[in-house]
């Protein structure tokens, strides 16, 4: 939040369009998040529930002396973010307004995070609800971003008809 506030103040002082900057950094966020998730692998953390699926990851449990197989959620999120980077790279070539790529980033990341967080075992829950904090935040972010994207598409389409 501090970095976002700092960038917003910088853009305001320098008279730079904040939404254009957000479009620019969104691609970097996805690459950084894609690479950063591998830290979870090396730290043996943030893995998913037990599975015998094709992409399972074996982890040695020192308490039981057995190897347990889990969803490699770090891998899922890394690949999801890499796919998002490719998609946003091509979408950026057809950007129609400042902020569009940033909104696509929030929608894409939120959608993936909503799905992947549901597989994890180390989530923080909202007390008394059984809902995961990260999953709810990701879903709300995704829905809000899609809503703004649809609204902007509607407004652009309407303006195009009026200008004819």
């Amino acid at each position: 939040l501090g970095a976002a506030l700092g960038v917003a103040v910088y853009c305001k002082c320098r008279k730079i369009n904040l939404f254009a900057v957000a479009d620019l950094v969104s691609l970097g966020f996805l690459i950084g998040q894609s690479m950063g998730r591998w830290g979870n692998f090396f730290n043996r953390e943030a893995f998913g529930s037990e599975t015998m699926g094709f992409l399972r990851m074996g982890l040695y449990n020192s308490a039981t002396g057995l190897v347990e197989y889990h969803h490699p959620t770090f891998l899922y999120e890394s690949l999801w973010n890499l796919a998002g980077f490719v998609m946003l790279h091509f979408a950026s070539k057809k950007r129609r307004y400042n902020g569009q790529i940033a909104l696509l980033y929030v929608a894409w990341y939120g959608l993936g995070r909503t799905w992947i967080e549901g597989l994890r075992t180390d989530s923080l829950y909202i007390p008394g609800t059984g809902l995961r904090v990260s999953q709810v935040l990701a879903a709300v972010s995704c829905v809000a971003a899609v809503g703004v994207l649809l609204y902007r598409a509607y407004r652009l389409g309407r303006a195009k008809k009026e200008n004819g």
Side-chain angles (χ1 to χ4, degrees), residues 47-163:
F47 48 83
S49 58
E50 289 191 41
T51 185
M52 289 307 291
F54 172 69
L55 291 175
R56 68 186 180 267
M57 172 178 72
L59 295 171
Y60 178 74
N61 184 331
S62 58
T64 63
L66 300 172
V67 174
E68 299 171 348
Y69 295 96
H70 296 269
H71 283 284
T73 54
F74 77 92
L75 177 63
Y76 300 160
E77 192 163 346
S78 181
L79 294 174
W80 180 264
N81 290 332
L82 187 60
F85 169 78
V86 171
M87 179 198 64
L88 290 185
H89 169 73
F90 288 109
S92 68
K93 308 290 185 200
K94 296 179 182 183
R95 179 174 70 128
R96 296 173 65 191
Y97 56 88
N98 289 331
Q100 183 179 18
I101 302 305
L103 286 166
L104 286 169
Y105 160 76
V106 171
W108 181 262
Y109 184 75
L111 180 64
R113 186 71 182 199
T114 299
W115 163 61
I116 294 164
E117 190 66 27
L119 298 172
R120 296 211 7 212
T121 59
D122 61 346
S123 300
L124 176 64
Y125 287 86
I126 300 170
T129 65
L131 299 173
R132 293 174 165 104
V133 172
S134 297
Q135 199 170 26
V136 170
L137 180 61
V140 168
S141 299
C142 179
V143 168
V146 168
V148 173
L149 284 163
L150 291 172
Y151 174 75
R152 292 293 311 248
Y154 169 76
R155 292 273 317 254
L156 285 171
R158 203 167 112 195
K160 196 174 189 179
K161 281 183 184 178
E162 289 174 2
N163 294 331

Side-chain angles (χ1 to χ4, degrees), residues 3-85:
L5 181 61
V7 169
V9 169
Y10 179 82
C11 287
K12 180 78 171 166
C13 291
R14 296 288 186 161
K15 295 183 172 79
I16 299 171
N17 187 305
L18 176 61
F19 297 110
V21 172
D23 284 345
L24 179 67
V25 300
S26 295
L27 294 169
F29 284 166
L30 283 168
I31 287 293
Q33 289 167 320
S34 182
M35 290 187 303
R37 278 297 166 192
W38 283 87
N40 297 131
F41 170 73
F42 292 112
N43 291 335
R44 296 172 36 108
E45 63 187 8
F47 48 83
S49 58
E50 289 191 41
T51 185
M52 289 307 291
F54 172 69
L55 291 175
R56 68 186 180 267
M57 172 178 72
L59 295 171
Y60 178 74
N61 184 331
S62 58
T64 63
L66 300 172
V67 174
E68 299 171 348
Y69 295 96
H70 296 269
H71 283 284
T73 54
F74 77 92
L75 177 63
Y76 300 160
E77 192 163 346
S78 181
L79 294 174
W80 180 264
N81 290 332
L82 187 60
F85 169 78

